[in-house]
Amino acid sequence: MCGIVGAIRAHANVVDFLTDGLKRLEYRGYDSSGIAVYSESEQKIKRVRRVGRVALMEEAVKQKGLTGHIGIGHTRWATHGGVTEPNAHPHISGGLISVVHNGIIENFEAERTRLEALGYEFESQTDTEVIAHSVRHEYENNGKDLYRAVQTACSRFHGAFAIAVICHDDPAHMVVARMGCPLLVAFGDEEVFIASDVSAVIAFTRKVTYLEDGDIALLSANGIDMLLDKNGDKTERAVKTSELSLASLELGGYSHFMQKEIYEQPKAVADTAEIFLDGGFVPENFGEHAPEIFSKIKSIKILACGTSYYSALTGKYWLESIARIRTDVEIASEYRYRDVIADPDELIITTSQSGETLDTMEALKYAQAQGHECSLSICNVLESALPRASTLAIYTRAGAEIGVASTKAFTTQLVILFGLAVTLGKLRGHVSDDELTGYADDLRQLPGSIQHALNLEPQLAVWAKEFATKPSALYLGRGIHYPIALEGALKLKELTYIHAEAYPAGELKHGPLALVDENMPVVVIAPNDKLLDKVKANMQEVGARGGELFVLSDLDSDFAETDGVHVIRTPRHIGVLSPIVHTIAVQLLSYHVALVRGTDVDKPRNLAKSVTVE
Ligand code: AGP
């Protein structure tokens, strides 16, 4: 969703950074962009905004010859008001104050009414414009102090936001504030940068400070001149060195980030498995206080959205069968509005690639407010909001995931959930030493099995041609493979805009069987496990109604290719980690259907990478 950048550079033009930074934030999803800089030659704040890709805005910036030593930029994902140029950021009030903003000002209507009554005229339908006018009002009426003006304005706003503000009167300073949305400050040599995401700055510097909720900072080219925390007390935040690699943000020979990220899975999974293979299946992997917390918990509740919710659903099977611990999984956006019954002995887990999904964050806060004392975040993005708000945290080692459709974040989340199940199983006396050795071997072999699954790509590309012509598809699985069917259907929807649904195969006859005819391809995830015979019976039900079956199975499950039954087999039986390997096939299938249909693989329509609004 929306991205923020900003910079003050004593000896260089900020425009290069602003446009480069915004391009690096494109993956988050947006529909318009813009930058504002203070032009010394014209002594005014100049702005360029465009609907559509950053490249269009960049072109306009070049044509207008925008330059300056201070500036802010934004990619907007429309929430309040349509996708129009007047609604794009930055917003300017009276040529004096310019603002970029992520998040939502929940009380913007009341603020707008107040400001209109004071004589301010609004040019957009956004909540952000109230920030610009509000800061200007405070600035002009309370001693022309930009820092204090931002501080007072922010105290009026409800909601989650991160903002950056520049002022015509003081082109050497910028004020930034964070409340609920990520914001970092990065430091170069006589230059300072700000961004909502570290990927925007690492081409310029790796020295970063993550602001905390409630922080308001005054910046100059020398760095942070003043930083007050949520209580108004002077504070300092640690400067860290980002280890994110620049290569991970570039295509490096692949056609799409999604393709690259699918192919990175053997390494991402191996790197994540190393946590347990090198460190052992020990609670300490999950944080300093994990030993005491893990020994007292009696049940688990996992809260998540989208693909991360499906990884949680898969994890439930391992947690219940290996660790014998009762596990519930709930969609975060539902949980947060339910009358929950809190249990201090229940561990709340959140799974999230970005660590900043608003629904998941709010669900965690709600659980904590209801009396849940222990929480664990399984997250991919370092220092993001969810791990920071949780008692325990463990990071997947997937590296940057740029494609909007989640791939390697999902499979690495599964590795962590499996590692957690084995860790808890061992701790609770349900995993013998032999079983422990077996689980470690399974993890060791997993990257190789994923590599084998990647080799199935040509066969899946053949299937894709047929899927691409169909209006919808059905995905079936049973047991632990049912969530993989859900993930397969979600990937198909996101990437190809083909309607797809997933069902536990046994549920077919209770309704969805009515949909089956020769136009409905039915994907069946059918590895050789204890439910295989049941799945085969469900497949007969499809075959008898003229449905075409596309079976993903493993080597020893003796499926025969016949008319109306297509089979692709992974080259070996994979055992307990089979869901992870079958995921690769459903990812590749959707990727190839998208290629045939010519959709935007990395940026599917209407979707954003980090969903930081409700
Ligand atoms: C997955 O392909 C999605 N784009 C989406 O469902 C995503 O998984 C969801 O929005 C949750 O995001 P998170 O993992 O960053 O919390």
Side-chain angles (χ1 to χ4, degrees):
M1 299 215 147
C2 305
I4 289 182
V5 292
I8 311 171
R9 308 181 80 185
H11 309 293
N13 180 8
V14 289
V15 169
D16 298 352
F17 166 76
L18 296 177
T19 50
D20 182 76
L22 290 181
K23 280 188 188 157
R24 292 185 190 279
L25 296 182
E26 281 189 295
Y27 79 96
R28 295 168 64 94
Y30 71 105
D31 37 47
S32 58
S33 65
I35 66 172
V37 299
Y38 178 79
S39 159
E40 274 128 40
S41 54
E42 297 181 47
Q43 299 206 340
K44 64 186 225 190
I45 295 175
K46 291 190 74 183
R47 165 177 73 177
V48 171
R49 299 177 292 176
R50 286 292 179 275
V51 167
R53 290 282 144 99
V54 173
L56 284 174
M57 193 269 297
E58 187 184 21
E59 198 43 53
V61 166
K62 279 188 193 141
Q63 276 168 17
K64 291 197 171 182
L66 231 61
T67 59
H69 293 289
I70 184 166
I72 50 181
H74 192 263
T75 47
R76 173 175 187 254
W77 196 84
T79 54
H80 295 72
V83 183
T84 63
E85 208 167 290
N87 285 339
H89 301 210
H91 288 281
I92 299 181
S93 181
L96 183 69
I97 299 291
S98 185
V99 176
V100 287
H101 159 229
N102 277 2
I104 287 178
I105 305 297
E106 284 168 2
N107 58 333
F108 89 99
E109 275 164 335
E111 275 294 285
R112 187 174 171 133
T113 309
R114 180 181 74 88
L115 290 158
E116 277 171 342
L118 289 167
Y120 292 90
E121 282 178 20
F122 281 75
E123 293 170 357
S124 76
Q125 301 150 312
T126 64
D127 53 340
T128 306
E129 203 180 345
V130 304
I131 305 175
H133 293 315
S134 189
V135 171
R136 177 179 150 207
H137 184 72
E138 299 303 331
Y139 179 81
E140 287 185 327
N141 292 286
N142 288 307
K144 298 207 166 182
D145 177 337
L146 182 64
Y147 187 90
R148 275 191 37 208
V150 172
Q151 207 179 21
T152 313
C154 284
S155 70
R156 308 185 74 96
F157 304 144
H158 306 160
F161 54 86
I163 61 174
V165 185
I166 58 172
C167 176
H168 169 274
D169 292 352
D170 183 4
H173 290 98
M174 177 184 302
V175 178
V176 296
R178 174 195 163 142
M179 178 51 75
C181 290
L183 192 62
L184 60 90
V185 183
F187 310 94
D189 189 10
E190 291 190 69
E191 50 189 18
V192 70
F193 308 95
I194 60 115
S196 47
D197 182 328
V198 72
S199 58
V201 300
I202 58 161
F204 288 76
T205 178
R206 291 186 170 276
K207 277 167 58 186
V208 297
T209 286
Y210 294 89
L211 297 184
E212 305 262 337
D213 278 348
D215 283 357
I216 302 183
L218 176 71
L219 311 177
S220 70
N222 298 323
I224 298 178
D225 290 355
M226 177 161 69
L227 175 57
L228 300 188
D229 67 13
K230 61 174 184 252
N231 303 316
D233 295 329
K234 273 199 176 155
T235 189
E236 286 185 7
R237 304 286 174 216
V239 178
K240 302 187 175 177
T241 303
S242 170
E243 284 171 12
L244 190 69
S245 87
L246 208 51
S248 69
L249 306 177
E250 286 166 3
L251 277 172
Y254 287 94
S255 307
H256 300 98
F257 280 106
M258 183 191 182
Q259 182 194 29
K260 179 180 178 227
E261 287 155 10
I262 289 173
Y263 274 86
E264 281 171 349
Q265 288 177 110
K267 179 165 179 351
V269 158
D271 288 349
T272 307
E274 226 171 63
I275 297 172
F276 306 102
L277 295 177
D278 286 0
F281 293 96
V282 293
E284 284 78 359
N285 288 325
F286 298 85
E288 198 188 329
H289 301 294
E292 67 211 62
I293 290 175
F294 284 5
S295 55
K296 78 166 198 183
I297 53 162
K298 303 218 164 44
S299 63
I300 289 176
K301 184 177 294 294
I302 315 182
L303 305 170
C305 303
T307 286
S308 292
Y309 169 71
Y310 297 146
S311 80
L313 281 182
T314 315
K316 169 185 163 84
Y317 287 84
W318 288 321
L319 286 162
E320 293 199 334
S321 65
I322 298 172
R324 307 295 299 142
I325 185 159
R326 186 163 54 73
T327 304
D328 291 330
V329 181
E330 246 185 277
I331 288 182
S333 55
E334 286 296 310
Y335 176 84
R336 59 181 286 206
Y337 293 113
R338 214 161 54 69
D339 284 333
V340 302
I341 297 163
D343 176 356
D345 294 333
E346 183 164 72
L347 176 67
I348 295 286
I349 300 181
T350 55
T351 49
S352 174
Q353 188 289 127
S354 62
E356 58 177 277
T357 300
L358 188 105
D359 283 323
T360 311
M361 188 66 210
E362 291 303 319
L364 172 63
K365 285 188 193 159
Y366 179 61
Q368 289 169 334
Q370 298 308 303
H372 278 103
E373 287 166 8
C374 314
S375 54
L376 163 67
S377 158
I378 299 175
C379 186
N380 193 40
V381 177
L382 295 179
E383 295 289 342
S384 51
L386 280 163
R388 285 147 60 107
S390 305
T391 334
L392 305 174
I394 186 165
Y395 290 99
T396 46
R397 296 181 179 171
E401 191 180 69
I402 306 291
V404 165
S406 194
T407 51
K408 59 180 181 169
F410 177 73
T411 45
T412 54
Q413 280 172 359
L414 291 182
V415 170
I416 297 283
L417 286 161
F418 177 75
L420 176 64
V422 177
T423 305
L424 288 172
K426 185 178 145 205
L427 201 68
R428 295 159 64 90
H430 296 296
V431 171
S432 68
D433 286 351
D434 282 355
E435 284 169 324
L436 199 66
T437 310
Y439 290 139
D441 281 348
D442 290 331
L443 269 185
R444 236 172 249 117
Q445 284 172 28
L446 183 61
S449 302
I450 292 176
Q451 192 55 56
H452 283 302
L454 290 169
N455 297 341
L456 302 173
E457 183 170 15
Q459 297 169 62
L460 290 157
V462 173
W463 282 11
K465 287 188 189 134
E466 190 157 342
F467 275 69
T469 64
K470 306 289 187 193
S472 39
L474 202 55
Y475 282 67
L476 303 177
R478 288 197 81 145
I480 197 167
H481 293 93
Y482 165 54
I484 307 306
L486 286 164
E487 172 61 4
L490 179 66
K491 287 278 108 58
L492 196 74
K493 279 183 274 214
E494 286 185 291
L495 290 167
T496 72
Y497 319 146
I498 292 174
H499 170 243
E501 279 195 72
Y503 273 93
E507 192 62 12
L508 201 56
K509 57 189 172 296
H510 298 292
L513 199 53
L515 296 170
V516 172
D517 64 12
E518 64 286 356
N519 274 320
M520 173 73 86
V522 181
V523 178
V524 192
I525 299 163
N528 187 10
D529 62 13
K530 63 180 182 191
L531 289 168
L532 181 62
D533 288 338
K534 304 278 175 209
V535 174
K536 283 182 174 172
N538 301 139
M539 286 167 54
Q540 296 291 341
E541 296 164 359
V542 174
R545 272 101 193 150
E548 202 165 359
L549 289 152
F550 295 81
V551 185
L552 295 168
S553 190
D554 46 28
L555 200 56
D556 48 355
S557 46
D558 74 348
F559 278 105
E561 284 260 359
T562 56
D563 258 5
V565 183
H566 312 274
V567 184
I568 292 180
R569 285 193 187 81
T570 56
R572 49 167 115 140
H573 183 66
I574 306 123
V576 70
L577 295 173
S578 160
I580 301 182
V581 179
H582 282 85
T583 301
I584 311 300
V586 297
Q587 293 169 346
L588 283 169
L589 178 61
S590 300
Y591 174 69
H592 278 276
V593 180
L595 292 187
V596 179
R597 288 170 65 94
T599 50
D600 190 339
V601 172
D602 286 333
K603 301 186 195 81
R605 69 183 181 200
N606 308 336
L607 299 182
K609 182 70 183 163
S610 295
V611 186
T612 50
V613 294
E614 191 169 356

